[in-house]
Amino acid sequence: MTTKKKTLPQRMCVGCRQMKDKKQLIRVVRTTNEEIVIDPTGKLSGRGAYICPNADCLAKAKKYKSLDKALKTSIEPAVMEKLEAQLLENGK
């Protein structure tokens, strides 16, 4: 009998555009209330996007507005600053 190896789910980072294991990335969600939050559990309902927990990917995502595009909404600068602080805090 052969045993199958369980494959880990892969997601693309909106900053560097590389496929990585889902557990390595941080999920950012636009909830049904149009709120932008970080989802540490990965289970909040709403539109999600994944980003690497480092400053380079976040800078690329801001420059090209890829986080805005992935979440299909414009992210206000105050919310983006809050997200930056949370992402860098969660990434360490």
Side-chain angles (χ1 to χ4, degrees), residues 14 47 49 61-62 64-76 80:
V14 295
R47 182 148 186 96
K62 277 179 66 174
Y64 298 110
K65 296 188 182 248
S66 52
L67 199 55
D68 299 43
K69 292 172 188 170
L71 296 176
K72 296 186 177 179
T73 188
S74 61
I75 301 174
E76 296 177 16
M80 184 58 90

Side-chain angles (χ1 to χ4, degrees), residues 28-68:
V28 181
V29 180
R30 180 192 57 164
T31 63
T32 53
N33 301 335
E34 300 299 317
E35 205 177 347
I36 309 291
V37 294
I38 290 180
D39 179 12
T41 63
K43 296 181 181 180
L44 279 178
S45 64
R47 182 148 186 96
Y50 292 84
I51 190 162
C52 295
N54 64 48
D56 294 339
C57 286
L58 186 60
K60 285 180 187 177
K62 277 179 66 174
K63 181 178 179 182
Y64 298 110
K65 296 188 182 248
S66 52
L67 199 55
D68 299 43

Side-chain angles (χ1 to χ4, degrees), residues 26-27 38-40 53 83-92:
I26 295 173
R27 185 169 186 245
I38 290 180
D39 179 12
L83 278 177
E84 283 179 46
Q86 285 183 322
L87 275 172
L88 297 177
E89 179 182 302
N90 287 349
K92 291 181 180 176

